[in-house]
């Protein structure tokens, strides 16, 4: 393993566990340390061997940051994971060419169809629609206004 591989493994091991700024800060620190040791005459292999496995270093950094921040980094990681999950869902809609507001409308429509089918099967269609339709309509109106104001603000 060379210096670049070491730094890359360290970055990969830290990514998603601490903030991107801290990932870069730690990567720069170790890269500078390795460069300094090489300038002092140590072979690169010896410096990397002294440092050890970058994944273990990453675990130590994450543990230290978690202790220091009182769990804020875990919350950051959880939030990033949630945003990535949501991003994948919206990417599906973008690939299909559907706008933002299409998801709740589509979900409401599917729910309505399922309820009608279940209602027909159980002969309760009118009763189910009578109390659920207003909720679905309100939700669709709310999403419409969210989209309207989001477009207006941007």
């Amino acid at each position: 393993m060379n210096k670049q591989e070491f730094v890359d493994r360290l970055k990969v091991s830290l990514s998603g566990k601490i903030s991107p700024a801290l990932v870069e800060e730690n990567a720069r620190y170790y890269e500078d340390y390795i460069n300094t040791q090489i300038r002092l005459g140590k072979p690169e292999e010896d410096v990397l061997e002294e440092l050890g496995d970058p994944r273990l270093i990453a675990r130590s950094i994450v543990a230290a940051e978690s202790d220091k921040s009182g769990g804020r980094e875990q919350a950051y990681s959880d939030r990033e994971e949630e945003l990535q999950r949501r991003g994948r869902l919206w990417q599906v809609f973008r690939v299909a060419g559907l706008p933002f507001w299409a998801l709740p409308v589509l979900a409401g429509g599917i729910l309505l169809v399922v309820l009608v089918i279940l209602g027909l099967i159980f002969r309760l269609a009118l009763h189910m629609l009578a109390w659920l339709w207003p909720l679905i309509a309100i939700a669709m109106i709310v999403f419409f206004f969210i989209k309207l104001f989001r477009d207006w603000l941007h």
Side-chain angles (χ1 to χ4, degrees), residues 82-138:
E82 176 66 17
L83 289 174
Q84 288 175 356
R85 185 187 63 73
R86 286 185 190 169
R88 286 190 293 269
L89 178 63
W90 293 120
Q91 283 175 350
V92 169
F93 268 72
R94 278 191 223 115
V95 168
L98 297 171
F100 163 77
W101 54 267
L103 178 65
V105 171
L106 187 61
I110 290 171
L111 179 64
L112 189 61
V113 169
V114 168
L115 289 174
V116 168
I117 291 170
L118 287 174
L120 291 173
I121 291 172
F122 296 108
R123 306 257 187 239
L124 298 174
L126 295 177
H127 296 291
M128 292 171 77
L129 287 177
W131 64 271
L132 274 177
W133 174 245
L135 296 175
I136 294 170
I138 290 170

Side-chain angles (χ1 to χ4, degrees), residues 35-75:
N35 288 335
T36 301
Q37 294 300 312
I38 292 171
R39 276 193 302 264
L40 292 174
K42 284 188 178 179
E44 182 176 325
E45 297 81 26
D46 291 349
V47 175
L48 295 175
E49 189 176 316
E50 287 174 8
L51 287 173
D53 189 350
R55 292 173 296 189
L56 294 176
I57 293 172
R59 280 191 214 156
S60 299
I61 293 169
V62 170
E65 286 301 316
S66 180
D67 289 345
K68 201 178 350 176
S69 67
R72 278 183 301 194
E73 292 302 326
Q74 181 61 39

Side-chain angles (χ1 to χ4, degrees), residues 133-149:
W133 174 245
L135 296 175
I136 294 170
I138 290 170
M140 292 171 76
I141 291 169
V142 167
F143 279 111
F144 171 76
F145 281 109
I146 289 172
K147 185 232 181 290
L148 182 70
F149 286 118

